[in-house]
Amino acid sequence: MRCQPRYEGPVYIWLKNIQQCLLCDEATDTPQPICTPCETELPWLGDHCQICAVPLPMSGLTCGQCLKAPPAFEQVIAPWTYSFPIDSLITRFKHSANWPYGHLLAELLAQSLQHRFNEGLAQPDALVPVPLARKRLRARGFNQAAMLAHWLRERLLIPCDEHLVQRIHHTPTQQALTADARQRNLRNAFALTTTAQVAGRHLALVDDVLTTGATARSLARLLCNAGAARVDVYCLARTPKTAAST
Ligand SMILES: [Zn+2]
Ligand SMILES: [Zn+2]
């Protein structure tokens, strides 16, 4: 008599992490809820400016804007260009509070950062999410940059310093503005909090999308003026150069 139930089925299926791909609904046993074909087809950032990550036709170059006016940040790390389907995933995360999309994007960004750290990129002392104006925070209910930074902290074990900087006045939505207007709009938009510890620290700003880079430039300048040793920028996606961002 057998003491154990007889089972010859595919036991391994129980041990594998089968889940649905969030993009195509196919079953996948990948660690994240995205299947390999969908992940491969994401708009991975190709050759880009070595400082601000704007897409360029060749690698190892610095774009005209960074040459003309070097930003205070050291470099931008972004896995993707802001195009389909990344743009719609970010929009769904941000405007429809669809957490699984946000979490998936943060996990993939964390993987890409871990890869860069393994290749020698200096790991920051803390992650600093780009703050949202209080009015917009009330309307949206959450700061998408802070959520990304928290997920990165869990995955990369880098502390997150959410209260280092604050927005001191409400700035009109940046989207409709030209680069110059954005920079003017952002002047004096941020301030360090009274307890902020910045001197000598390597900080990484975290945001969802880098468009003209005006916000990152403004914050990096503020942090470097306060004595930060180095500021990097981590974001999900970089917009290609357009007429509005020149
Ligand atoms: Zn898929
Ligand atoms: Zn550049």
Side-chain angles (χ1 to χ4, degrees):
M1 193 179 104
R2 281 177 167 271
C3 297
Q4 296 296 319
R6 188 177 170 82
Y7 183 76
E8 288 169 353
V11 174
Y12 68 93
I13 282 187
W14 300 344
L15 307 172
K16 274 195 172 182
N17 177 27
I18 301 286
Q19 51 191 334
Q20 269 184 324
C21 172
L22 287 178
L23 275 74
C24 71
D25 279 342
E26 289 290 323
T28 175
D29 62 357
T30 46
Q32 303 306 330
I34 182 168
C35 71
T36 307
C38 285
E39 189 177 346
T40 309
E41 281 176 26
L42 291 177
W44 297 96
L45 184 67
D47 293 335
H48 56 268
C49 167
Q50 48 194 351
I51 298 176
C52 74
V54 73
L56 290 178
M58 280 167 69
S59 65
L61 298 177
T62 302
C63 77
Q65 198 197 2
C66 289
L67 284 173
K68 206 169 75 185
F73 55 75
E74 189 88 11
Q75 69 177 127
V76 173
I77 308 287
W80 305 290
T81 57
Y82 190 65
S83 51
F84 186 80
I86 288 292
D87 52 357
S88 74
L89 296 179
I90 292 176
T91 303
R92 279 191 250 179
F93 163 48
K94 209 160 126 174
H95 298 296
S96 316
N98 194 320
W99 310 134
Y101 288 120
H103 188 252
L104 170 65
L105 295 171
E107 284 287 327
L108 295 176
L109 172 60
Q111 268 178 28
S112 153
L113 285 167
Q114 189 58 60
H115 181 70
R116 298 293 295 269
F117 295 148
N118 296 345
E119 282 185 334
L121 177 73
Q123 199 163 314
D125 299 314
L127 303 167
V128 180
V130 170
L132 207 60
R134 222 174 279 167
K135 197 173 160 187
R136 202 159 304 140
L137 187 59
R138 272 200 303 270
R140 189 174 294 164
F142 68 99
N143 175 0
Q144 75 282 358
M147 295 200 65
L148 289 172
H150 283 287
W151 282 320
L152 292 180
R153 178 197 61 183
E154 281 172 20
R155 194 58 172 48
L156 300 169
L157 307 177
I158 299 170
C160 173
D161 210 335
E162 203 179 325
H163 303 292
L164 204 71
V165 280
Q166 57 186 352
R167 269 197 208 250
I168 47 177
H169 65 243
H170 178 69
T171 45
T173 303
Q174 292 280 87
Q175 274 162 4
L177 302 175
T178 62
D180 281 352
R182 282 181 185 222
Q183 203 66 61
R184 276 198 305 277
N185 188 24
L186 285 166
R187 210 165 286 156
N188 307 320
F190 300 103
L192 293 172
T193 51
T194 46
T195 53
Q197 302 271 326
V198 175
R201 296 177 82 197
H202 174 186
L203 302 165
L205 292 166
V206 176
D207 209 354
D208 53 342
V209 184
L210 198 80
T211 307
T212 62
T215 303
R217 278 175 173 257
S218 180
L219 275 167
R221 171 59 47 218
L222 178 73
L223 294 170
C224 286
N225 285 347
R230 168 174 170 164
V231 177
D232 292 328
V233 181
Y234 301 160
C235 60
L236 297 171
R238 180 68 166 105
T239 55
K241 210 175 179 88
T242 61
S245 64
T246 51

